[in-house]
């Protein structure tokens, strides 16, 4: 029986790549996708998400629209990427996507999807956690329907990737966008697995990887994902950041958990400057699991294989 997965992402390039990756997993049934308006503008991001469902012949999977905006906005130039994605040659002429204002609200779709699920559900989050927290505040009994939450978020024993005013650089962006919801999620003590910067720092998007992917260009998904990843080379200026496979690595955990090293720890979340959004280890904190290492060679080979279908 396939594993039931509900995905919440925030429309950036690596989120959309992650949505595609989930759709290639034969032992996964994706029961819904919700989009958070964090690292995206929501309307073009919903169009991108729908077009990827079309590419995979999965338009029946419901999409939910997040309308909650976090505390600390992502830079606008990062958020505009779905506009470019929708103009890529393999996507621009697909049938028109539905009205972006007609979608169900993301928290309501999460509630309905969990309620209707025939078995426990794995929740995959590659953006902030706000939609899930809003859903569980409205229907707390649905905590019992969640098998595991896998979340690309946090930085525990490494520096964060937030560099902005009134901040000491200790936080990761998905947490920083909405530290208060993150604190609430951690305090729920769900079966929560963080895929933090501690492990995503091991899997950069390299030109060697992109070159290998390009040798598979006759395969539709390799061609499309190669175009997506090529757009990351100037998304974050090279002198400032490296683009890593943040969300793709978190998504791969669904298929290859045995390739990760994990650790059960006690942790807390800061909600105030100068370290708002910092996830830190604290023996008086809440129980979570964090990934600390991954078999990166196996991971890269797995990704190349999945996009060769």
């Amino acid at each position: 029986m396939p594993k039931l997965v509900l995905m919440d992402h925030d429309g950036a390039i690596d989120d959309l790549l992650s949505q595609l990756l989930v759709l290639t997993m034969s032992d996964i049934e994706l029961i819904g996708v919700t989009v958070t308006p964090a690292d995206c503008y929501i309307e073009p991001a919903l169009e991108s998400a729908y077009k990827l469902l079309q590419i995979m012949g999965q338009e029946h999977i419901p999409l939910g629209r997040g309308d909650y905006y976090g505390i600390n906005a992502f830079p606008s130039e990062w958020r505009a990427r779905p506009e470019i994605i929708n103009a890529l040659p393999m996507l621009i002429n697909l049938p028109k996507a539905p009205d972006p204002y007609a979608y169900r609200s993301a928290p309501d779709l999460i509630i309905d999807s969990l309620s209707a699920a025939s078995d426990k559900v794995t929740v995959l989050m590659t953006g902030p956690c706000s939609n899930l927290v809003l859903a569980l505040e409205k229907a707390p009994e649905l905590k019992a329907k969640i098998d595991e939450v896998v979340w690309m978020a946090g930085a525990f024993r490494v520096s964060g990737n937030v560099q902005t005013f009134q901040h000491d650089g200790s936080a990761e962006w998905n947490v920083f966008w909405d530290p208060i919801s993150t604190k609430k999620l951690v305090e729920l003590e769900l079966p929560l697995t963080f895929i933090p910067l501690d492990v995503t720092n091991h899997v950069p998007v390299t030109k060697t990887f992109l070159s290998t992917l390009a040798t598979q260009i006759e395969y539709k998904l390799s061609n499309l994902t190669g175009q997506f990843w090529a757009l990351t080379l100037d998304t974050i200026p090279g002198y400032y950041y490296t683009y890593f496979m943040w969300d793709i690595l978190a998504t791969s955990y669904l298929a290859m958990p045995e390739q990760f090293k994990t650790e059960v720890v006690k942790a807390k979340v800061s909600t105030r400057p100068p370290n708002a959004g910092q996830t830190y280890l604290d023996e008086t904190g809440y129980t979570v699991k964090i990934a600390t290492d991954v078999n990166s060679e196996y991971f890269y080979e797995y990704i190349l294989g999945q996009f060769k279908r």
Side-chain angles (χ1 to χ4, degrees):
M1 184 175 175
K3 177 187 290 188
L4 302 181
V5 171
L6 182 62
M7 183 177 190
D8 187 285
H9 68 68
D10 66 336
I13 290 173
D14 51 340
D15 297 89
L16 296 168
L17 284 162
S18 295
Q19 181 184 318
L20 265 181
L21 180 59
V22 172
L23 291 168
T24 70
M25 295 178 177
S26 58
D27 57 347
I28 295 290
E29 180 183 347
L30 188 59
I31 62 172
V33 177
T34 52
V35 183
T36 298
D39 198 7
C40 68
Y41 291 103
I42 190 68
E43 291 82 12
L46 285 165
E47 181 180 345
S48 299
Y50 182 76
K51 285 184 172 183
L52 296 186
L53 293 177
Q54 283 187 307
I55 282 277
M56 300 299 287
Q58 299 291 325
E59 300 98 313
H60 68 278
I61 296 173
L63 279 171
R65 175 190 173 112
D67 284 311
Y68 172 83
Y69 285 81
I71 296 165
N72 302 300
F74 276 80
S76 58
E77 61 269 26
W78 299 3
R79 299 177 65 199
R81 285 286 146 166
E83 294 279 12
I84 301 170
I85 294 295
N86 292 331
L88 289 175
M90 292 178 67
L91 299 181
I92 193 168
N93 290 325
L94 289 177
K96 184 175 173 59
D99 177 1
Y101 297 98
Y103 287 111
R104 297 287 312 279
S105 90
D108 287 348
L109 181 60
I110 291 171
I111 289 170
D112 290 349
S113 299
L114 289 175
S115 299
S118 58
D119 201 355
K120 285 196 170 188
V121 175
T122 296
V123 179
L124 170 67
M125 299 189 298
T126 58
C129 66
S130 313
N131 286 331
L132 178 62
V133 170
L134 288 167
L136 292 178
E137 286 182 334
K138 197 170 180 180
E141 70 279 4
L142 292 177
K143 286 167 41 178
K145 294 294 291 283
I146 295 175
D147 185 49
E148 183 180 17
V149 177
V150 178
W151 187 20
M152 190 280 112
F156 291 87
R157 298 189 179 104
V158 298
S159 298
N161 59 5
V162 171
Q163 297 187 29
T164 189
F165 297 103
Q166 284 195 300
H167 205 277
D168 63 7
S170 60
E172 179 276 325
W173 263 103
N174 283 341
V175 179
F176 179 64
W177 190 78
D178 186 3
I180 292 173
S181 288
T182 303
K183 182 174 183 288
K184 290 178 179 179
L185 180 67
V186 168
E187 291 174 358
L188 287 174
E189 291 203 290
L190 292 164
L192 172 59
T193 300
F194 281 94
I195 311 297
L197 300 186
D198 306 54
V199 64
T200 62
N201 286 349
H202 300 178
V203 287
V205 178
T206 65
K207 287 195 175 180
T208 299
F209 171 80
L210 295 180
S211 178
T212 305
L213 183 63
T215 67
Q216 304 178 175
I217 198 169
E218 70 272 19
Y219 296 94
K220 179 172 70 173
L221 293 186
S222 292
N223 190 338
L224 181 60
T225 57
Q227 293 176 41
F228 272 50
W229 264 308
L231 296 173
T232 68
L233 295 182
D234 75 338
T235 299
I236 300 174
Y239 60 82
Y240 196 48
Y241 282 124
T242 300
Y243 204 98
F244 291 94
M245 296 199 184
W246 300 287
D247 299 343
I248 285 282
L249 185 65
T251 303
S252 76
Y253 181 83
L254 301 180
M256 49 178 249
E258 72 284 352
Q259 300 299 326
F260 287 77
K261 289 183 181 177
T262 60
E263 183 180 341
V264 176
V265 299
K266 297 279 192 178
K268 287 186 174 180
V269 181
S270 174
T271 60
R272 298 176 180 177
N275 63 328
Q278 182 185 13
T279 50
Y280 60 95
L281 303 179
D282 188 315
E283 281 305 313
T284 66
Y286 300 87
T287 301
V288 299
K289 184 190 292 185
I290 62 172
T292 59
D293 201 1
V294 66
N295 182 341
S296 55
E297 183 177 352
Y298 186 100
F299 163 74
Y300 284 118
E301 288 300 318
Y302 172 75
I303 298 304
L304 290 167
Q306 290 299 109
F307 291 141
K308 202 174 181 179
R309 297 189 170 197

